[in-house]
Every structure is written in C-alpha cells, then in structure tokens.
C-alpha cells in the first residue's frame, strides 16, 4: 500500500479529545508502520478556544466554531467528541455534506439521527464510525455488525451504563442504599454532578437503540421512543432477597426480535448468579449477544474513560485508513414496530404489608384473579420495619400488560400495600 | 459497490465444512444483499469423495485430492477445514502460490507455519483468514489484531480449550475426579476418543501461540516450543482447598510482554473467584486482554462447534468480499526469545505428608532455605487418607526457577512427601 496522509479535525477538546490527540501524537511512528498512513490532527474546534486535555506538541489550528473546518477541503475526517445533540448533529451533517468521513462518540445524537446520517453518508460514499458511542472501549459496534451480517441475532442484553452498574454493585457488595452509592460514584468520577440520565435509564436506552439498529435494523430516529425504567426503586434489601433466590441485580438494556416482534427496553433486572453477565461489576460494561446457530457471545470491558473511548475512535480512523468503510445504511429495515407490551418474563415483587392475619391469602387471591401464578414466596419477619413486613413473591412468566393489571388491582388496596417494588427477572435461557 | 461473484473451494467436508456450505446456501440472498456478492462453493475436496455434513442443494464438483482445485484458476478462495498439519500446510502454500486467498480453522498448522504463510501471502498480495483457528465462534483474531494496532498489549489470558474447561468445571461443580470428567466430556461430544492433545495443554498452547503473534509479534514457526502443563494432576480435593482460598481452577494460556521479556505458557491455574475469567464454565472459551491505557477487555463465547466455527470462517470470507484484507505479515517482529523462567506468580502447593510431629517445621525450613515465603497454610485432618494428611501452602510470588529449586529440595525427602501438587495462581491485577 502506498503511503498516505489523513488530515483530521477534532470537534471537542476535553478528556476524550485530548486522549485522541495524545495517542495519535505519541504512537505516530507505530501507526504509520501499521497503516502506511500519517494521521495528522490539523484542526481542533473548542468553544473555549483552549485545549483542556493533551496539549503537548500540537501545532495545528484551534477554532471556536466549526464552520471553518467544514469549509476546509483539505480535511478528510471529522471526529466529534463534543457531546450534546443539536450541535453535534449539525457538525455530522455538514461534515458529510462537505465530503468528509465522520467519527463520533455520541450515542444520544446517533440514536435520534442515525438513519438520516447513514443514508447521507451512503449517498456521498462516505463512512460514519461510531464504535465509541456504545460501551466505550468494547469493540461492540464492529463485533455486533459483523455478527448481524452472518447470522440472525435473537437477542442482546447489555450492561451499558457504568454509573448505574457501579452503584448497584456497591449496594450489593457493601449493603449501602442508592443515595450513598450515588455519592461514592460521584466522588470517584463514575457519576456526573447531575446523574439523572444515567440513573433513569436514558443513557443505557440510547445505547441499546443503537445496538438494536445493528442487530435488527430498527430505526434510529425519533419515531422509537425510549422505554426506560431507572434504578432508583432498588433498595439494599432487594439484594438480600435476590441473593436468597440466587440472583444479582443489574441495569440491563435488552433487545430481541422474533416473529416480527421487536422488544427494546432498559430496566434493572434480577439475573441468575450463575450467568456470566451477573459477574460484570463496578463501572464495567458488557454485552451478551445470542444467535440460534452460535449461542452466546459476551463482550466485556471499560464502558467509559478517555483512553478506552479514544482507542475505539482510533479503530474507526484505522478503518478509514484501510478503506474498510462499512455502509451502515444497509442495516436499516425501517419497518419494525416496538411490541414491548408482549415482553414476557418472571417477576420479582416486593410488597411491604401490614402485619395482619390473612394478608397472604388476600395477595394470593389477587394474583389468582389475574390468572397469574406464583413460583415462590419469601416472608421475613426479621426484615420488618415500622410494623410493615416485606413479602417477596416470584411470579411465573407474564407479559407487561398482565403485570400492569395486577399492579393496578393492588393499588386499590392502599391500606394493605404500603409499597410495591417490581423488578423483572431476566432469564436468557428461557 | 458493483455486484461480484466469489468462487470458493472447500477442503474438508465434515461437520465444520458442512456448516459453511449450509450457511452459504441457506443465507445466500441475505449475504448477497449485505455484501453485493454471490458466494459460490464450486468445489469440495474430501478424501472419501462424499459430503458428510450438509448435502442439500450442492451442485458443485467433489474431488478426492486438492491438485485439481489448485490448478483451477477460476477459484478465488480456498477454505481449509480438513485438519492435520502437513497436508493442510501443502494446501495453504499451494493455494497462495496459485493466487487464491486462503481461510483456515487450523491452529496447529498456523502455529508452525504462520510466519512463512503470512510472508508468502504478502508477496502475492493475498489474504489469510484464520478467525476460526482460535476460540471457535469468538471474534478474537479480529478483536486482538485491531487492539494490537492501537495500543501495546501487556498480557492476555485465555481459556482456549473447551474440553479441559468442561472437565475442570464438572470436577468443581460435581466433586468428581478427572477420569469421570473425561468420560462425561466424551459422552457429550466435548472430548475426542483420544483427548491427549486437549488434556496435556497442546491444543491450548497452539492457540496461545497464534494469539501471541498478534499481540506481541512473536514467531509462528518451529523455533518457539510449546510450554505446556496438562490438567491431569488436578484432583477434586484441589477444588475444595481452592474454594476455601477464594479461587477456581481453570486451564489458562497466558502471554505477556514487558521489558523485552516474552512469557508464553499453558497450565491449569487458580484464579480468584471475583474475576470474570473464573466464571467461564463448561465448554465455553474466553480471552482477557489487558492494555495499560484501556484496562481489561474480555471476549467470551463458544470455543468450538460446527456453526460457531463456520460463522468465524464466514467473517473472513466477508472480509475478502469487502476487500478488507489485513496484512498479517506486519505483526511479526521475529526477534523475541521466550523468558518463561522469569514468570513469577504466587504458588499453590498441596503436599501429602505422613502425620508425624514436626512436619510443618520441616516444610517451613525447606521453604525458608530457598528464601521463599509463605502467605498461608491450610491443614485439614478430615481430608486425610491412608494416614496421609494434605497440607496446602500458598507461597508468595516466586519465579519458575525458584519454584523448581524448592520442589527439588522436597524430592530429596521422599519419606516425608508422598505427593506434591503444584499449581500456579494467576492474579492479573498484580
């Protein structure tokens, strides 16, 4: 292969941008040897006008707006690591329209504008790299898209939000409550000052939506709304019951496609302690992918951090250098509707009830009335608080509508039930 | 991309070859859409002259020798799934010399002839795909080679032999001895009639050697001898002690490269139960890869089986269709020597000793004389058999030479030590 030069503009100069700059500078000779290519960051766009991350040896231009790089024909690739949705979308669109390959770490933007951008890139014969947009340093975009082009994916289940996973892991290992877990995560830099999008499942669901595009061809636009449930209803006592039942509790994003039914949801779930996914702890991420022909594959690694994220961005850049430009537009089927109501699984219910005679009989009759059946019950007097006793009921499989009907029937009995916590049980082998 | 046609010759028509044929036939329309390519298996070579695996809808030619496909200029790609070393090497060499891309599932052949074949392929501007040669359905070749071109790999640790992992898993979960585990594995098709190469570590070490080429650039020729230790010294009692110490026992292949020292070994090892690698059970495979910049990534999945292996072969074929032909010749550094003597770790020693006064004092003095130190000791009277008591000693880190000196000093005291089992403790965080 002949020697070539790739000129890069970097939009965003924070920690991730700095790590990209650092790796491309420090390893320049090695990358030149491996890819017969000089990778030159010629321009950086940053609102502040200053590099915050890596600064050494950067002799290129620094801009405060991105118009100047869009209009610069010598730039081959635009890397977007500035975050946010609207401006990032503008950069993406204008970069591609001005004939530049585009690399992004932005799942929020891609989950809303991916369809349009992939089509635009196809039209212009350009490449969009987004390896860094899901699960930081794990090569899940390349691995999943490769697999999806070989076999039908039945389902995936991902732990895609490191903050939530860290907090639930600490609640499990140290017996602390959510609030304390959030505080610890913030102190260690695993949670932002406002962790809302992490805790309520938005971040994980955006990533799941991107994976679902690759796995099943579902849409990446505003027509698919995120189906999310946050981790904030989980209490430390739930880990005690879960342990007794043989489960951990993890923040999952799942996608499945079978018989024209697409399921796409994010929620905290009980998963069997014998499963490898249940061993993904602290801030780590992992994605399990199941196909009928090949069974389970799992990809595990750091879900965030400047260097892991930068290494995924570089893997896209090196695809460009090798002219290995996947046309992601081909993945979109565009016809699927979400059938989340039909999602069926076992259920964990923790009911805080007044300690009065006949409580269990009453609960059982409600459940029987809805034609649902109980797999097991745990009642622990020694977990009682303020005269309330927690009763945990594991329901056999039922779908979301059936569960909702049951919860509604409970809600008519406010005297009896002081609190109802519902968690799904994810059992991939069923 | 314009429509193209790729003509394929398949050498080997057993289960894996059959699965390749089946997938390419059944999914032809889908692959055509995804890759703008018709993949046609025009010729099959099989000694018996008969297809054993998938037979439906095959209208191509069946040969009993491979000369006819080598001389056929219309064939673009040769896929070798016949196994063995010498004939497979001949097929590889002649296929490349006659200007065909080459795909193989053969780790034994690649571990001996990889260097030469990669150079030959580079000279002829051809591609060698070997995704299926290590860890069946796990995309470790592509993932590791991608990572190695981005960052320095510090080490990898793989569970690369499904048979050994299955047997050790069952010994752990069911308390059975090795012999019974082998029998069960054979009944389930996870072990061959002669499982020697699986049990003695050869298979795992060949795969580790292939990974080390990608990770560190070490040689793929006969100059690197396999450093192997089989799983046959492990007894069910070792799992009891390991559990008490917080460990599982797994068949590992490790590679590390630091300060010009290359370590490449396969052995059964104690690994901490808190590590995700310790949760890779039954016939599954996994590889953990560590870099200073990105930390740990783990790739988990089926290590064998017709469909998983075929899906990896197809991933190579699709790389060819997309002209995404990695030049693996670039990975070879060719200069490294193995420094396995310097491999340092904690050690698990199980000594079966006569129950006589002063035994522990004597053992301690041997260990002290070698300037080694003890981290912990477990002595269990209730595990005694035939008047012998098992004593388990965990030694602090020492290298292979120091350990050997200690074992030699023990061997002079045959009256005292009736049995000595040594297992390495793999602690990747140290």
């Amino acid at each position: 292969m002949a020697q070539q030069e790739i000129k890069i503009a970097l939009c965003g100069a924070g920690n991730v941008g700095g790590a990209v700059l650092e790796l491309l500078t420090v390893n320049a000779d090695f990358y030149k040897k491996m890819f017969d290519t000089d990778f030159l960051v010629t321009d950086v766009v940053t609102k502040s006008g200053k590099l915050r991350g890596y600064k050494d040896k950067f002799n290129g231009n620094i801009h405060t707006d991105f118009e100047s790089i869009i209009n610069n024909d010598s730039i081959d690739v635009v890397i977007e690591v500035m975050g946010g949705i609207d401006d990032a979308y503008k950069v993406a669109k204008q970069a591609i329209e001005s004939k530049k390959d585009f690399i992004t770490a932005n799942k929020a933007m891609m989950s809303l504008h991916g369809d349009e951008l992939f089509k635009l890139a196809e039209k212009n014969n350009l490449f969009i790299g987004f390896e860094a947009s899901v699960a930081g340093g794990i090569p899940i975009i390349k691995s999943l898209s490769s697999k999806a082009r070989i076999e039908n994916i039945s389902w995936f289940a991902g732990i895609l939000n490191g903050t939530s996973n860290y907090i639930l892991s600490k609640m499990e290992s140290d017996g602390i409550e959510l609030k304390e877990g959030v505080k610890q995560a913030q102190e260690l830099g695993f949670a932002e000052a406002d962790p809302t999008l992490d805790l309520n499942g938005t971040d994980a669901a955006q990533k799941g939506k991107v994976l679902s595009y690759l796995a099943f061809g579902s849409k990446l636009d505003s027509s698919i709304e995120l189906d999310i449930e946050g981790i904030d209803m989980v209490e430390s006592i739930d880990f005690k019951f879960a342990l007794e039942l043989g489960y951990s509790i993890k923040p999952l994003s799942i996608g499945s496609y079978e018989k024209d039914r697409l399921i796409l949801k994010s929620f905290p779930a009980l998963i069997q302690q014998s499963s490898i996914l249940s061993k993904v702890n602290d801030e780590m991420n992992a994605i399990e992918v199941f196909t009928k022909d090949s069974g389970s594959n799992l990809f595990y690694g750091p879900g965030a951090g400047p260097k892991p994220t930068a290494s995924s961005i570089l893997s896209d850049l090196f695809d460009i250098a090798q002219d290995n430009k996947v046309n992601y537009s081909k993945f979109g089927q565009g016809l699927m509707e979400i059938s989340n109501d039909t999602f069926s699984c076992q259920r964990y219910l923790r009911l805080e009830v007044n300690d009065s005679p006949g409580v269990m009989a009453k609960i059982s009759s409600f459940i029987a009335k809805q034609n649902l059946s109980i797999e097991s019950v745990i009642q622990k007097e020694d977990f009682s608080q303020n005269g309330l006793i927690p009763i945990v009921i594991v329901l056999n499989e039922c779908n979301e509508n059936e569960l909702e009907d049951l919860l509604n029937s409970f809600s008519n009995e406010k005297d009896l039930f002081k609190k109802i916590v519902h968690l799904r049980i994810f059992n991939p082998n069923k």
Side-chain angles (χ1 to χ4, degrees), chain A:
Chain A
M1 198 197 266
Q3 287 291 327
Q4 62 179 349
E5 192 176 87
I6 291 183
K7 287 189 174 150
I8 300 155
L10 193 60
C11 290
N15 292 332
V16 173
V20 170
L21 208 49
E22 181 178 347
L23 287 172
L24 285 177
T25 308
V26 172
N27 300 332
D29 290 343
F30 177 64
Y31 297 155
K32 186 172 180 167
K33 181 190 145 209
M34 283 317 237
F35 303 103
D36 300 301
T37 304
D38 282 312
F39 298 93
L40 300 174
V41 179
T42 58
D43 297 79
V44 172
V45 180
T46 166
K47 272 190 188 159
S48 69
K50 281 182 189 162
L51 300 184
R52 274 190 300 134
Y54 182 78
K55 298 169 198 176
D56 302 357
K57 299 188 189 170
F58 179 68
N59 301 316
N61 310 302
I62 298 179
H63 312 272
T64 53
D65 67 283
F66 60 84
E67 303 300 332
S68 44
I69 60 157
I70 296 301
N71 297 323
N72 181 345
D73 286 343
S74 76
I75 291 170
D76 304 298
V77 181
V78 171
I79 299 177
E80 182 272 308
V81 286
M82 54 198 227
I85 295 184
D86 293 344
D87 279 353
Y89 167 59
K90 265 188 220 161
V91 170
K93 202 169 167 181
Q94 294 186 21
I96 297 164
E97 282 172 344
S98 61
K99 313 289 177 197
K100 301 170 193 351
D101 290 312
F102 177 71
I103 296 173
T104 181
N106 196 322
K107 73 270 165 188
M109 188 271 284
M110 289 302 288
S111 74
L112 283 175
H113 301 292
D115 275 353
E116 183 197 346
L117 294 175
F118 288 137
K119 286 205 183 76
L120 194 62
E122 182 182 43
K123 205 178 104 188
N124 288 282
N125 203 17
L126 290 164
F127 173 73
I128 297 178
F130 54 112
E131 185 61 77
S133 69
V134 180
I138 305 176
I140 187 61
I141 302 294
K142 292 189 215 315
S143 300
L144 184 59
S145 56
S146 173
K147 203 161 222 0
R149 292 188 292 174
I150 297 170
E151 306 167 69
N152 281 326
I153 312 278
S154 302
W155 56 261
F156 68 81
I159 296 176
L160 301 177
N161 183 269
T163 307
S164 300
N165 197 33
Y166 180 85
I167 293 165
L168 292 184
S169 294
K170 288 299 156 194
M171 289 173 71
E172 181 166 40
S173 63
D174 301 350
I176 58 176
E177 291 299 342
L178 188 95
K179 211 172 150 184
E180 172 64 21
V182 172
K183 206 179 126 216
Q184 286 185 17
Q186 285 170 327
E187 282 165 6
L188 287 164
F190 294 140
E192 300 183 44
D194 176 3
T196 310
L197 297 182
D198 292 318
L199 302 191
N200 73 8
T202 301
D203 173 88
Q206 288 166 339
K207 293 168 182 167
K209 193 172 163 185
V210 171
L211 296 185
S212 175
Y213 176 81
L214 298 174
F216 315 121
S218 58
K219 289 189 177 188
L220 283 182
D221 63 19
S222 59
S223 73
I224 292 191
E225 280 176 43
L226 304 179
D227 183 326
I228 59 174
E229 202 169 271
I231 63 168
D232 40 304
M233 89 285 261
V234 182
E235 296 174 37
S236 72
I237 191 175
D238 292 311
F239 289 97
K240 290 183 196 164
F241 283 114
L243 178 65
E244 194 156 327
L245 293 160
Y247 294 99
S248 276
I249 304 174
K250 294 287 169 194
L252 289 191
S253 292
I254 62 150
S256 76
Y257 186 60
E258 209 177 2
K259 296 175 190 154
D260 290 336
R261 290 189 331 191
L262 176 68
I263 307 283
L264 196 51
K265 290 175 77 69
S266 295
F267 49 79
L270 273 69
I271 49 181
Q272 276 176 335
Q273 292 204 318
S274 57
S275 73
I276 191 157
L277 205 52
S278 78
K279 301 304 170 189
V280 176
N281 288 323
D282 303 328
E283 76 282 11
M284 300 303 276
N285 282 17
I287 302 98
E288 188 170 356
V289 179
F290 184 86
T291 75
K292 285 209 178 74
D293 280 342
S294 295
S296 270
N297 269 93
L298 179 125
F299 304 88
Y300 164 95
K307 286 278 176 72
T309 308
S311 93
S312 283
I313 289 170
L314 262 52
S315 76
D316 288 335
L317 194 57
F318 299 156
D319 278 348
I320 293 171
Q322 298 165 95
D323 204 28
N324 175 26
K325 301 178 177 182
V326 173
N327 175 2
Y328 287 107
S329 174
K330 289 206 171 192
F331 287 76
Q333 311 284 327
L335 294 167
M336 280 167 248
E337 277 179 38
I338 303 273
S339 313
N340 279 349
D341 288 353
T342 66
F343 177 71
S344 187
C345 66
Q346 288 189 300
R347 314 282 174 166
Y348 165 101
L349 297 176
R350 174 165 57 86
L351 314 169
E352 305 254 318
V353 299
N354 283 311
D355 189 9
S356 57
V359 169
M360 226 11 250
K362 219 163 183 179
I363 295 171
S364 306
S365 78
F366 277 120
I367 292 171
K369 229 181 261 172
Q370 301 291 336
N371 285 318
L372 302 180
S373 67
I374 294 174
E375 193 194 85
S376 55
V377 175
I378 309 179
Q379 185 173 345
K380 292 253 177 199
E381 299 287 342
D382 47 335
F383 287 177
S384 67
Q385 280 180 319
N386 313 323
L388 294 174
I389 298 177
I391 297 178
V392 163
I393 294 173
V394 175
L395 291 181
N396 284 317
E397 267 197 39
C398 65
N399 69 31
E400 299 284 292
N401 286 334
E402 291 165 334
L403 192 271
E404 206 182 311
D405 288 345
L406 177 67
L407 294 184
N408 284 338
S409 77
F410 284 168
S411 68
N412 295 330
E413 298 280 334
K414 291 221 167 67
D415 281 352
L416 185 60
F417 304 111
K418 294 304 174 190
K419 184 183 255 176
I420 302 171
V421 172
H422 160 239
L423 293 169
R424 294 167 185 84
I425 299 178
F426 180 69
N427 185 351
N429 302 318
K430 281 207 138 179

